[in-house]
Amino acid sequence: MKKYLTVGTVLKPQGIRGEIKVMPQTDSAEEFKNFSSVKIDDSEYKVLACRAAGGYAYLTLRGVPDRNAAELLRGKELLVDRDDAPELPEGRFYIADVIGCAIVTTDGETLGEVLDVTPARTDIYTALIGGKEVMFPAADGVIADIDVGGGKVTVNKKRFEEVALL
């Protein structure tokens, strides 16, 4: 498992004092209040202040004193150490742990591999199947089981074929 987890993306500077607006890749922007530090590129930043509003997180980081410094972070991913990340409830997984898992049917047929998961009301999975990228939603009945320890996502083949964008 990866040591660092991606929790958001810097959208833009907010104001003139170095605050950044972050698009969370977590269930809630409120979860950013639990992070004492974040990693951007190869630099670690202590979180001095955090607020959540309108589905976004707004962070003030040590070492980012003004708008110009914050502008340099635009488009960068925020990572947190797995040990600092909140524990997930049963049946929930970090995207980083699902990426790379094999996609298999309930009959044991291997279809491909998970390349990415886009968080949304219904998450969108991108998979490499038969040499091409295929997208499918995690809609009801599509995913039968996720076993990150075993490295596989089990899908109902009939339902998968109905919703997959082949």
Side-chain angles (χ1 to χ4, degrees):
M1 290 194 184
K2 295 182 180 180
K3 178 167 173 48
Y4 289 95
L5 301 171
T6 303
V7 293
T9 304
V10 178
L11 296 177
K12 65 181 187 110
Q14 182 70 28
I16 61 170
R17 295 197 170 120
E19 185 177 52
I20 56 173
K21 181 178 183 179
V22 177
M23 170 63 76
Q25 292 181 16
T26 59
D27 289 341
S28 166
E30 293 287 331
E31 291 178 10
F32 277 74
K33 293 178 180 179
N34 298 323
F35 304 139
S36 59
S37 66
V38 295
K39 188 172 180 176
I40 302 173
D41 287 336
D42 290 327
S43 301
E44 190 146 336
Y45 297 90
K46 180 174 176 30
V47 176
L48 301 176
C50 176
R51 63 187 175 92
Y56 299 100
Y58 297 87
L59 302 177
T60 303
L61 305 174
R62 176 172 284 143
V64 185
D66 57 29
R67 184 176 185 87
N68 291 335
E71 184 64 47
L72 297 174
L73 302 178
R74 185 188 291 260
K76 307 267 184 181
E77 290 187 337
L78 270 78
L79 302 140
V80 296
D81 191 301
R82 179 180 290 277
D83 296 335
D84 295 335
E87 202 163 310
L88 296 175
E90 183 72 29
R92 303 293 307 261
F93 308 96
Y94 285 110
I95 290 172
D97 296 337
V98 177
I99 293 173
C101 285
I103 299 174
V104 298
T105 66
T106 51
D107 297 328
E109 176 188 356
T110 301
L111 300 177
E113 176 184 336
V114 177
L115 296 178
D116 196 15
V117 179
T118 304
R121 180 161 286 194
T122 301
D123 292 344
I124 306 296
Y125 283 63
T126 303
L128 184 63
I129 297 176
K132 65 182 195 174
E133 287 189 13
V134 175
M135 297 175 75
F136 65 96
D140 287 339
V142 177
I143 296 177
D145 185 49
I146 297 177
D147 177 10
V148 294
K152 66 180 180 177
V153 174
T154 305
V155 297
N156 176 311
K157 187 173 182 178
K158 180 180 182 301
R159 185 77 173 110
F160 174 82
E161 289 173 347
E162 291 172 354
V163 300
L165 300 173
L166 303 171

